[in-house]
Amino acid sequence: MGFRKKNKSPPVLSHEFVIQNHADMVSCVAMIVLLGLMFEVTAKFAIMFITVQYNVTYTFDDRPETGNFYQYGPKDMATVFFYVLIAIILHALIQEYILDKINRRLHLSKTKHSKFNESGQLAAFYLFSFIWGSSILTGEEFATNPTFLWEGYPHNRMVFQVKFFYICQIAYWIHALPELYFQKVRKEDIPRQLYYICLYIFHIAGAYVLNLHRLGLVLLVPHYLVELLFHASRLFYFSDENKQKGFTLWALLFVIARLLTLTLSVLTFGFGLSRTENQGFSITDGNFNILTVRISCLAAICLTQAWMMWKFINFQLKKWREHSQIQATKKRVISPKSKPSKKDSARGSAANGVMKSDDRTSPRARKPKAS
């Protein structure tokens, strides 16, 4: 299964060999896990990597049917590991069959080439996650009842779609760490990407472990929409630099999303969870509704939003300065050069040691002298 065309064969297990063949090697590991399902001895271990674990069946007092829900546990790390492999394979497929072909047509510089690949990968992920998350929220009552975010906490029962959504989210952002090496990301770009990758892992995993998956899902969907608009606008900008209208809409939605995130977070941690009856700390029950946890979660969200706004303001100021410099340069080129005055020209001639009265081309110089 080849994803890239190799002109030269680098030494086996060298850095270049691993980078060129990482998708093939990861595919082999995933295939070994899938082959484990064929044998009875290894099937119980292989299924732990592939399927969602901790299925719990509940019976309702007022309804005869039963409900299938899921909880989280240590075995989820095996599931996350398998879907990290799937994410690496999908990353290589998108890069090889979509982004590389577009890059050949655009003939971008190295800097733009790296940013184009980053935006292309993230735009595909944000689009898929936004559609998936929106479909999950349509079946919930959040739009009509905001108390859905904290009522009945701890929310230690997840339907299949919610748990699988979080598993895939964590797996994707973990896979982004080795991709920094596989994609040969420039050293100056690594710190910036590490910041937001680690923030995603920290916040999504925190919402999953603390049984705050309702709040996490509600905050992720609008955030992914804003990020999708930004990276889609950047892709259009690389294809045609005159297409910049998308950045204006993104700037407006970015501020709205930050305010929405802060409002819902303060409402949930400051008012909702603090007034619920079921307060306490119990790992077995999944209850983390104590003052220390609530303040820590709210502080983490507020600090992250403040950091994002600071980066956003610096980005806008940088663009404004660049736009002002471009406009000033255009005015200098378009404005006509001022003509020198008569006094300035006379002074210039005198400075050069030439006077108008001594000019041989003047009538007085050409007039012959009387004999």
Side-chain angles (χ1 to χ4, degrees):
M1 179 178 181
F3 291 107
R4 296 182 180 277
K5 297 178 181 179
K6 297 101 177 172
N7 297 325
K8 296 181 180 180
S9 297
V12 179
L13 298 181
S14 63
H15 290 287
E16 193 64 29
F17 179 85
V18 173
I19 291 172
Q20 288 186 4
N21 301 276
H22 72 275
D24 297 334
M25 294 187 292
V26 169
S27 301
C28 293
V29 176
M31 191 64 65
I32 292 173
V33 176
L34 293 174
L35 289 175
L37 297 173
M38 300 177 61
F39 305 99
E40 186 177 357
V41 178
T42 58
K44 59 181 179 181
F45 297 103
I47 201 170
M48 182 175 62
F49 288 87
I50 300 170
T51 61
V52 179
Q53 302 295 308
Y54 301 103
N55 182 14
V56 181
T57 303
Y58 290 92
T59 57
F60 302 98
D61 297 334
D62 56 344
R63 288 181 290 177
E65 67 270 9
T66 59
N68 293 323
F69 297 94
Y70 292 85
Q71 297 177 343
Y72 67 85
K75 293 182 181 179
D76 289 340
M77 292 187 289
T79 311
V80 169
F81 170 76
F82 178 77
Y83 286 99
V84 166
L85 303 180
I86 300 300
I88 293 175
I89 297 171
L90 293 176
H91 190 114
L93 288 172
I94 294 174
Q95 184 67 43
E96 175 67 21
Y97 295 104
I98 299 177
L99 298 180
D100 285 349
K101 291 183 178 180
I102 298 176
N103 273 319
R104 295 190 192 100
R105 296 180 180 179
L106 296 178
H107 303 288
L108 300 175
S109 61
K110 290 184 178 180
T111 303
K112 290 184 177 181
H113 178 83
S114 177
K115 292 182 178 180
F116 183 88
N117 290 335
E118 179 189 1
S119 293
Q121 295 287 347
L122 290 176
F125 169 74
Y126 288 139
L127 177 62
F128 175 76
S129 298
F130 171 73
I131 295 174
W132 191 5
S134 299
S135 66
I136 296 174
L137 286 180
T138 51
E140 304 292 349
E141 55 183 5
F142 167 73
T144 58
N145 184 20
T147 58
F148 158 82
L149 295 175
W150 59 82
E151 279 187 349
Y153 184 84
H155 306 140
N156 51 8
R157 301 178 186 179
M158 293 177 284
V159 297
F160 173 79
Q161 288 291 336
V162 173
K163 175 159 185 175
F164 192 46
F165 177 83
Y166 272 91
I167 291 291
C168 293
Q169 292 294 313
I170 297 172
Y172 179 86
W173 291 112
I174 290 178
H175 113 279
L177 294 174
E179 285 294 344
L180 297 176
Y181 170 71
F182 294 146
Q183 297 298 323
K184 292 184 178 180
V185 177
R186 300 185 307 167
K187 291 183 179 180
E188 54 268 24
D189 292 337
I190 290 178
R192 176 183 59 84
Q193 297 190 28
L194 272 178
Y195 287 150
Y196 71 74
I197 291 172
C198 293
L199 284 174
Y200 274 117
I201 296 174
F202 174 75
H203 285 83
I204 296 175
Y208 182 71
V209 172
L210 297 177
N211 287 318
L212 295 169
H213 52 83
R214 292 184 182 181
L215 177 64
L217 187 62
V218 170
L219 296 182
L220 274 178
V221 170
H223 174 75
Y224 280 168
L225 175 62
V226 175
E227 293 299 309
L228 170 63
L229 181 61
F230 171 75
H231 289 284
S233 301
R234 194 156 75 161
L235 291 175
F236 285 115
Y237 172 76
F238 288 144
S239 61
D240 185 1
E241 294 186 357
N242 295 323
K243 298 178 180 179
Q244 301 186 23
K245 294 182 179 180
F247 291 108
T248 305
L249 179 60
W250 162 76
L252 177 62
L253 294 179
F254 183 89
V255 177
I256 296 175
R258 303 288 72 77
L259 294 176
L260 178 65
T261 300
L262 291 174
T263 302
L264 293 178
S265 300
V266 172
L267 188 65
T268 302
F269 294 109
F271 298 96
L273 291 177
S274 61
R275 297 180 180 181
T276 57
E277 297 179 357
N278 191 11
Q279 295 193 21
F281 184 83
S282 176
I283 298 178
T284 55
D285 297 334
N287 189 2
F288 303 93
N289 190 11
I290 59 175
L291 181 62
T292 304
V293 175
R294 291 199 303 267
I295 292 178
S296 300
C297 294
L298 184 60
I301 294 174
C302 292
L303 289 175
T304 303
Q305 301 307 306
W307 178 77
M308 294 175 67
M309 280 300 300
W310 175 254
K311 300 287 289 185
F312 172 77
I313 293 172
N314 287 334
F315 175 79
Q316 294 297 330
L317 290 176
K318 180 181 178 182
K319 291 296 181 182
W320 179 75
R321 293 193 193 99
E322 291 177 355
H323 180 73
S324 300
Q325 291 177 358
I326 293 173
Q327 294 297 325
T329 304
K330 288 182 179 180
K331 289 181 180 179
R332 292 173 185 172
V333 174
I334 295 174
S335 59
K337 296 182 180 179
S338 57
K339 296 181 180 180
S341 59
K342 294 181 179 180
K343 293 182 178 180
D344 294 337
S345 59
R347 291 174 183 174
S349 300
N352 294 328
V354 180
M355 297 300 292
K356 286 185 177 180
S357 58
D358 294 338
D359 190 359
R360 295 182 179 180
T361 59
S362 61
R364 184 175 299 178
R366 292 195 301 266
K367 189 176 179 179
K369 294 182 180 180
S371 55

